[in-house]
Amino acid sequence: MRTSAGLSYSRIEITKDSRTKRLGCVHESRDEVLASHCNPPRAVYSYRKSMGGLEDTSSTTNQQIASSNPSDDFCIIWTLKIIDYILGKARYRTVPIEIGSKYTDDNWTQSLMTVGDFVEKYIKNKLDQKEIGYLAQHNLFNQIPELFEDIEVPSYITNKDDVDVSVWFGPGGTVSPLHFDPKYNLLAQVIGEKYIRLYSEDQTENLYPRHNTWLSNTSQVDAENPDLDSFPLFAEATYEECVLKPGQLLFIPPRCWHYVRSLSTSFSVSFWW
């Protein structure tokens, strides 16, 4: 989103769980996650945003692009500025809101409301609500083209006419259960932080996919609280994990299982192709 200040975007630091050997066809170096699927060979890349637009500063070296972290106070101010900006453009627009922490819950449902009502109820006054509200996987840019003027499709996507762009906007505690997608995905974090686990396709037999048709891409296992009596092979599943921070971009290839939990109020953008 456009503001009076530029943003520095930095490479993600992927941490390796003690059980993790590799992800997909990528081998031991932790900053080479998914390299065999990525062109250039990086799971994440960096770029710098200024008032003039985006300048690609991608690198295939292991060098950290930017190491400074904003203070908590700055993060809070930045989050409020972005939310106010979104409200200025979309306050009275009606959007579908997912009600419930994750779509696999029995009590999960959806409701239509304005962006303004969603922010007031589930962002600003979230502690007063019994359920979590989430503007999830919604193409807000098709609905409000003016917002799309504030982003650019990453330069790694060569066919920019065949890109599905969706936003993810919600409070801390929203969860995308362990699942995979059929397309390539670049997940960009605008505000807030998300904890992410990545399991390669060769771990599928340990992840217990659901057998019903419309959720066959989703695991039966709660990734962070697994029932190992019911799903014993899950204990053998290896994964990579990271915390996606503002200004960072994560590459997720097709059929790569991933689990996502927001750690704070969060706004993310997915580019699928």
Side-chain angles (χ1 to χ4, degrees):
M1 303 299 175
R2 288 176 180 166
T3 67
S4 59
L7 279 179
S8 294
Y9 289 74
S10 62
R11 193 178 310 283
I12 292 177
E13 189 73 10
I14 300 288
T15 60
K16 294 182 72 66
D17 179 83
S18 59
R19 297 176 296 162
T20 302
K21 295 180 180 178
R22 65 188 181 90
L23 184 60
C25 297
V26 184
H27 303 287
E28 299 303 322
S29 178
R30 70 182 184 177
D31 64 345
E32 292 177 351
V33 180
L34 307 180
S36 64
H37 295 277
C38 191
N39 182 24
R42 293 293 114 191
V44 295
Y45 74 94
S46 63
Y47 56 94
R48 186 175 300 277
K49 181 175 181 178
S50 64
M51 293 186 67
L54 297 178
E55 175 188 356
D56 189 359
T57 59
S58 306
S59 172
T60 57
T61 70
N62 295 334
Q63 182 179 4
Q64 182 76 17
I65 301 300
S67 59
S68 60
N69 293 319
S71 68
D72 290 341
D73 288 343
F74 178 83
C75 287
I76 292 171
I77 293 172
W78 179 252
T79 297
L80 293 175
K81 283 182 175 293
I82 293 294
I83 291 175
D84 285 344
Y85 180 84
I86 294 169
L87 288 174
K89 302 289 185 181
R91 181 185 300 272
Y92 301 108
R93 305 302 293 269
T94 299
V95 292
I97 301 300
E98 296 185 359
I99 309 299
S101 63
K102 52 185 181 292
Y103 64 76
T104 51
D105 287 348
D106 292 337
N107 61 349
W108 178 90
T109 187
Q110 289 182 303
S111 178
L112 293 175
M113 64 182 66
T114 65
V115 172
D117 288 344
F118 163 68
V119 169
E120 187 67 26
K121 185 174 183 178
Y122 292 107
I123 302 294
K124 294 183 177 181
N125 296 291
K126 62 181 179 180
L127 297 181
D128 297 334
Q129 309 305 318
K130 295 180 179 180
E131 299 288 350
I132 290 177
Y134 196 16
L135 176 56
Q137 197 173 328
H138 178 61
N139 195 332
L140 191 64
F141 304 115
N142 271 357
Q143 188 176 2
I144 309 173
E146 185 179 357
L147 284 176
F148 196 65
E149 297 174 3
D150 295 300
I151 69 169
E152 287 189 12
V153 176
S155 59
Y156 290 167
I157 302 175
T158 56
N159 185 2
K160 293 180 171 53
D161 296 326
D162 187 29
V163 182
D164 297 325
V165 185
S166 292
V167 303
W168 309 80
F169 182 26
T174 60
V175 171
S176 292
L178 186 59
H179 70 287
F180 67 83
D181 298 312
K183 295 184 175 183
Y184 292 97
N185 180 16
L186 284 171
L187 178 62
Q189 193 68 12
V190 180
I191 58 174
E193 298 183 352
K194 285 184 170 177
Y195 168 73
I196 300 176
R197 283 191 189 182
L198 303 169
Y199 297 78
S200 67
E201 185 179 359
D202 63 13
Q203 296 298 306
T204 296
E205 67 177 17
N206 296 326
L207 304 182
Y208 298 90
R210 294 171 186 260
H211 300 298
N212 51 316
T213 304
W214 75 281
L215 283 180
S216 59
N217 71 327
T218 302
S219 172
Q220 300 176 62
V221 185
D222 182 339
E224 290 192 273
N225 299 285
D227 179 353
L228 296 180
D229 291 332
S230 299
F231 311 109
L233 292 179
F234 188 74
E236 304 302 320
T238 59
Y239 61 87
E240 301 276 0
E241 62 184 356
C242 68
V243 173
L244 192 66
K245 299 181 179 182
Q248 295 181 326
L249 187 68
L250 178 65
F251 173 71
I252 306 173
R255 303 191 68 84
C256 173
W257 293 84
H258 48 289
Y259 167 87
V260 184
R261 174 171 55 86
S262 60
L263 302 178
S264 59
T265 297
S266 172
F267 190 99
S268 314
V269 182
S270 282
F271 301 89
W272 280 294
W273 80 101

